[in-house]
Amino acid sequence: MPELPEVETVRRGLEPVMAGEVIARAEVNRPDLRWPLPERMAERLTGQRVLRLGRRSKYILADLESGETLIVHLGMSGRMLISGDPLGRFHHDHPAPEKHDHVVLHMAGGARITFNDARRFGHMDLAPTEALDTHWLIRDLGPEPLGNHFDAAYLTAAFKGRRTPVKSALLDQRIVAGLGNIYVSEALFRAGIHPRRHAGRIAPARVAALVPVIRDVLREAIEAGGSSLRDHRQATGELGYFQHTFRVYDREGAPCTTPDCPGTIRRIVQSGRSTFYCPLCQR
DNA sequence: ATGTGTTCCTGTCCGC
DNA sequence: TGCGGACAGGAACACA
């Protein structure tokens, strides 16, 4: 489900009830998600103050007073929902437990954060904060698309010599970290680049143009609270609404929205995943 | 080294 | 209604 904008939306929602607050108790309802959860996870979380809540790519990072960081990935269907916020900003009542509520953080202030993930492609881990960069899930990630290291020179170099379709290249988290199936389709449409074009064979000026397009799409999506197709909810439970802005994603057969373009949005499958594009606008 | 297909898991939707 | 198949926002892994 969640790509960078959804994860950032969730992080922003969690910040007021987690950052600076103490985890009074952690409820771990099963030993594994995608992989086994870390040893003694509940104990290692209990009593810990969250120093800050950050994000790297699609990972939410909660730095703890103990010197460890809680790493959370939402997989395809993961949610982190707040209930019982003491200041009444969100749902005050704690809802009945639901199927797939795998981890629940009981905050000292009264808020509860429930990690629910039906498909269990999500994951959590604990690792020393000072060594996060070398953690096996983090170390090979490419630059943050909204960060300073992601620019035209970088992307041109990263694409150089690559024969993989640009769609696959942008999904490769080692090249740029945080894009997923939705925002790659949307960015390529805005940049007018055909998803099947080999990454290494895009004119430099068009690669350069792709950089601000990617940033714009992600920023707009964050602003909209992400895209809610099926599973995504903000931490407050609200839906995101960027899906209403999709130009191509999930619009197979619909008319292209470019003024005067008579094209029809197409769906193809690349590396086993759907890609949506306009065959007339994208070359 | 690079590129592609398979796999994990559950839920939902669509056609018959 | 029920049943089977396709598909879903991710990404590690096995293999050519």
Side-chain angles (χ1 to χ4, degrees), chain A residues 181-228:
Chain A
N181 220 27
I182 292 176
Y183 299 106
V184 167
S185 276
E186 292 297 313
L188 288 175
F189 171 79
R190 292 191 186 195
I193 299 171
H194 196 290
R196 281 202 170 116
R197 180 169 287 273
H198 290 338
R201 302 192 56 180
I202 306 171
R206 305 179 73 213
V207 175
L210 187 51
V211 169
V213 163
I214 288 171
R215 291 186 197 270
D216 286 350
V217 172
L218 295 178
R219 283 204 198 97
E220 290 169 26
I222 292 169
E223 195 65 28
S227 303
S228 288

Side-chain angles (χ1 to χ4, degrees), chain A residues 234-255:
Chain A
Q234 306 191 33
T236 56
E238 294 164 88
L239 298 172
Y241 49 91
F242 191 73
Q243 66 278 10
H244 303 303
T245 314
F246 288 171
R247 306 288 299 277
V248 290
Y249 189 85
D250 211 14
R251 295 193 64 243
E252 182 183 20

Side-chain angles (χ1 to χ4, degrees), chain A residues 31-85:
Chain A
D32 61 310
L33 293 171
R34 179 169 184 180
W35 296 288
L37 290 167
E39 294 291 314
R40 302 175 45 253
M41 182 167 97
E43 292 89 329
R44 287 156 76 183
L45 293 175
T46 297
Q48 289 301 315
R49 186 179 299 278
V50 178
L51 300 180
R52 61 180 286 272
L53 200 64
R55 179 189 58 74
R56 172 78 171 100
S57 183
K58 300 172 191 171
Y59 295 93
I60 291 172
L61 305 171
D63 294 352
L64 308 176
E65 224 159 10
S66 61
E68 292 197 296
T69 293
L70 174 67
I71 304 169
V72 180
H73 195 285
L74 300 175
M76 287 279 253
S77 54
R79 293 177 181 174
M80 302 264 282
L81 286 175
I82 299 166
S83 61
D85 174 52

Side-chain angles (χ1 to χ4, degrees), chain A residues 5-274:
Chain A
E6 288 74 34
V7 176
E8 177 60 19
T9 296
V10 170
R11 189 201 67 78
R12 291 182 184 186
L14 293 175
E15 197 158 38
V17 293
M18 284 190 81
E21 303 297 320
V22 170
I23 301 170
R25 187 163 72 86
E27 211 181 305
V28 180
N29 296 326
R30 54 176 302 141
D32 61 310
L33 293 171
R34 179 169 184 180
W35 296 288
L37 290 167
E39 294 291 314
R40 302 175 45 253
M41 182 167 97
E43 292 89 329
R44 287 156 76 183
L45 293 175
T46 297
Q48 289 301 315
R49 186 179 299 278
V50 178
L51 300 180
R52 61 180 286 272
L53 200 64
R55 179 189 58 74
R56 172 78 171 100
S57 183
K58 300 172 191 171
Y59 295 93
I60 291 172
L61 305 171
D63 294 352
L64 308 176
E65 224 159 10
S66 61
E68 292 197 296
T69 293
L70 174 67
I71 304 169
V72 180
H73 195 285
L74 300 175
M76 287 279 253
S77 54
R79 293 177 181 174
M80 302 264 282
L81 286 175
I82 299 166
S83 61
D85 174 52
L87 299 184
R89 290 164 291 195
F90 314 124
H91 315 276
H92 190 73
D93 299 329
H94 294 302
E98 294 201 38
K99 208 173 170 182
H100 311 303
D101 284 351
H102 304 308
V103 176
V104 184
L105 303 179
H106 299 259
M107 305 306 292
R112 195 178 284 182
I113 295 148
T114 301
F115 178 92
N116 179 289
D117 182 10
R119 294 180 72 183
R120 247 182 299 125
F121 289 166
H123 183 52
M124 289 193 194
D125 200 3
L126 279 163
T129 304
E130 42 90 15
L132 258 198
D133 290 346
T134 63
H135 187 276
W136 66 284
L137 290 167
I138 311 272
R139 68 185 173 214
D140 295 327
L141 293 174
E144 285 290 317
L146 296 177
N148 294 331
H149 299 293
F150 182 65
D151 58 21
Y154 167 79
L155 195 59
T156 306
F159 278 0
K160 192 176 162 80
R162 291 212 149 232
R163 310 201 136 217
T164 194
V166 61
K167 161 75 188 309
S168 307
L170 290 175
L171 278 182
D172 185 338
Q173 303 297 296
R174 294 169 300 188
I175 292 182
V176 56
L179 295 178
N181 220 27
I182 292 176
Y183 299 106
V184 167
S185 276
E186 292 297 313
L188 288 175
F189 171 79
R190 292 191 186 195
I193 299 171
H194 196 290
R196 281 202 170 116
R197 180 169 287 273
H198 290 338
R201 302 192 56 180
I202 306 171
R206 305 179 73 213
V207 175
L210 187 51
V211 169
V213 163
I214 288 171
R215 291 186 197 270
D216 286 350
V217 172
L218 295 178
R219 283 204 198 97
E220 290 169 26
I222 292 169
E223 195 65 28
S227 303
S228 288
L229 292 177
R230 298 167 186 77
D231 301 312
H232 171 62
R233 293 290 181 283
Q234 306 191 33
T236 56
E238 294 164 88
L239 298 172
Y241 49 91
F242 191 73
Q243 66 278 10
H244 303 303
T245 314
F246 288 171
R247 306 288 299 277
V248 290
Y249 189 85
D250 211 14
R251 295 193 64 243
E252 182 183 20
C256 177
T257 48
T258 300
D260 300 324
C261 175
T264 299
I265 304 309
R266 256 194 213 156
R267 171 185 179 272
I268 57 174
V269 175
Q270 295 180 281
S271 305
R273 320 224 29 215
S274 292

